[in-house]
Amino acid sequence: MFKDAYNNNHVYGQNLLENFDINNINIIDVREPYEIEICNIPGSLFIPLNTLLKDPNIFINKKETYFIICHTGQRSYYVTDHLTKMGYNVVNIIGGITSVEKYNVPY
């Protein structure tokens, strides 16, 4: 895991799978419902980007760490940047679900 110049936390999909038990971390998938039907990580919270950013306090708290995922990493970076600025402890999964599915995550 590392921070960028804007203080956002990031992890590569492979590092996530190697260093964390995905069954015991908070993963938020910010893709749209039709994308979730194609593939997803079991146990993830499915909260579309706009829904999450509208009022994050409904879904998450500032005491927990959340790993944010989307399809390729662009939306999850956007969400991570906004939530970090709001004081949440979030981590962008670089490369999104496409970086994780390469490693045969059961979904």
Side-chain angles (χ1 to χ4, degrees):
M1 203 158 52
F2 64 94
K3 286 188 182 285
D4 65 17
Y6 302 101
N7 206 36
N8 296 312
N9 292 308
H10 302 277
V11 66
Y12 289 98
Q14 180 179 0
N15 297 123
L16 176 76
L17 298 174
E18 290 172 351
N19 297 309
F20 298 92
D21 178 356
I22 62 170
N23 296 311
N24 291 316
I25 60 173
N26 298 310
I27 299 175
I28 298 177
D29 194 324
V30 296
R31 295 177 298 149
E32 294 299 317
Y34 73 90
E35 294 174 284
I36 302 299
E37 293 176 14
I38 297 168
C39 67
N40 62 73
I41 298 174
S44 298
L45 298 172
F46 307 115
I47 311 168
L49 180 149
N50 290 331
T51 303
L52 179 58
L53 292 182
K54 185 175 181 180
D55 191 357
N57 291 319
I58 293 173
F59 305 102
I60 61 177
N61 67 66
K62 294 182 178 179
K63 295 180 181 180
E64 300 275 339
T65 299
Y66 300 90
F67 292 81
I68 311 296
I69 196 165
C70 65
H71 185 179
T72 61
Q74 186 173 359
R75 287 175 283 181
S76 60
Y77 178 84
Y78 179 78
V79 169
T80 299
D81 186 55
H82 277 21
L83 293 178
T84 297
K85 289 175 182 171
M86 296 173 72
Y88 291 95
N89 188 12
V90 291
V91 180
N92 175 42
I93 301 174
I94 295 175
I97 195 81
T98 58
S99 73
V100 174
E101 69 184 347
K102 288 188 235 180
Y103 302 100
N104 298 317
V105 172
Y107 52 84

